[in-house]
Amino acid sequence: MKRDMETMKLVRDKIPQIIAKSGKVAEYEVITDEKEFENLLHQKLLEEAQEYVASGSAEEICDILEVLYAIMDMKKWDMEYIEDKRRDKVRRNGAFTERILLKAVHE
């Protein structure tokens, strides 16, 4: 089998089937180790964040959200738990609505 593209990255569940439908063969494995999966999700989050910064596209925001949902699922955190944490942090530290740029802190 000729290797057209050497890739070692976490991909969405249907990517192997999509590759097969294009007439190519996907070589892949299913990650069963939780720590390895968590590390791969962290790498994927950084990859998707970089892609969003480069493109500014809604598609990349969707990818970021999907990775975040996978992390939440792995950690058994539901949306209510995350929203409670987010709201608490907003109460304590604010959000980003006022667009404040901190320039310096002086003693």
Side-chain angles (χ1 to χ4, degrees):
M1 171 174 62
K2 180 184 172 203
R3 291 185 182 203
D4 295 321
M5 181 172 70
E6 190 74 27
T7 305
M8 291 287 289
K9 67 178 186 175
L10 196 62
V11 296
R12 289 175 177 259
D13 299 338
K14 295 182 180 180
I15 296 301
Q17 293 91 333
I18 292 169
I19 291 170
K21 283 181 183 177
S22 76
K24 297 177 182 172
V25 177
E27 181 181 336
Y28 66 95
E29 67 179 281
V30 175
I31 303 302
T32 56
D33 180 82
E34 289 297 308
K35 192 63 182 164
E36 182 180 7
F37 183 52
E38 184 175 18
N39 289 336
L40 288 167
L41 283 169
H42 292 167
Q43 289 173 23
K44 191 68 173 181
L45 182 59
L46 293 172
E47 173 193 332
E48 298 300 347
Q50 289 172 337
E51 289 176 6
Y52 169 73
V53 168
S55 72
S57 85
E59 290 288 319
E60 297 304 336
I61 289 289
C62 294
D63 289 341
I64 291 167
L65 282 172
E66 199 60 43
V67 175
L68 290 174
Y69 289 150
I71 291 169
M72 289 167 50
D73 185 57
M74 183 191 64
K75 293 189 172 279
K76 310 287 189 257
W77 296 338
D78 63 17
M79 188 55 79
E80 184 178 344
Y81 173 78
I82 294 297
E83 273 298 309
D84 286 346
K85 293 278 189 192
R86 186 194 67 79
R87 282 189 294 268
D88 184 54
K89 194 155 191 177
V90 167
R91 277 191 297 277
R92 287 183 287 115
N93 300 336
F96 296 97
T97 56
E98 296 181 25
R99 302 179 181 195
I100 296 170
L101 175 65
L102 183 65
K103 296 170 89 176
V105 176
H106 303 282
E107 293 291 325

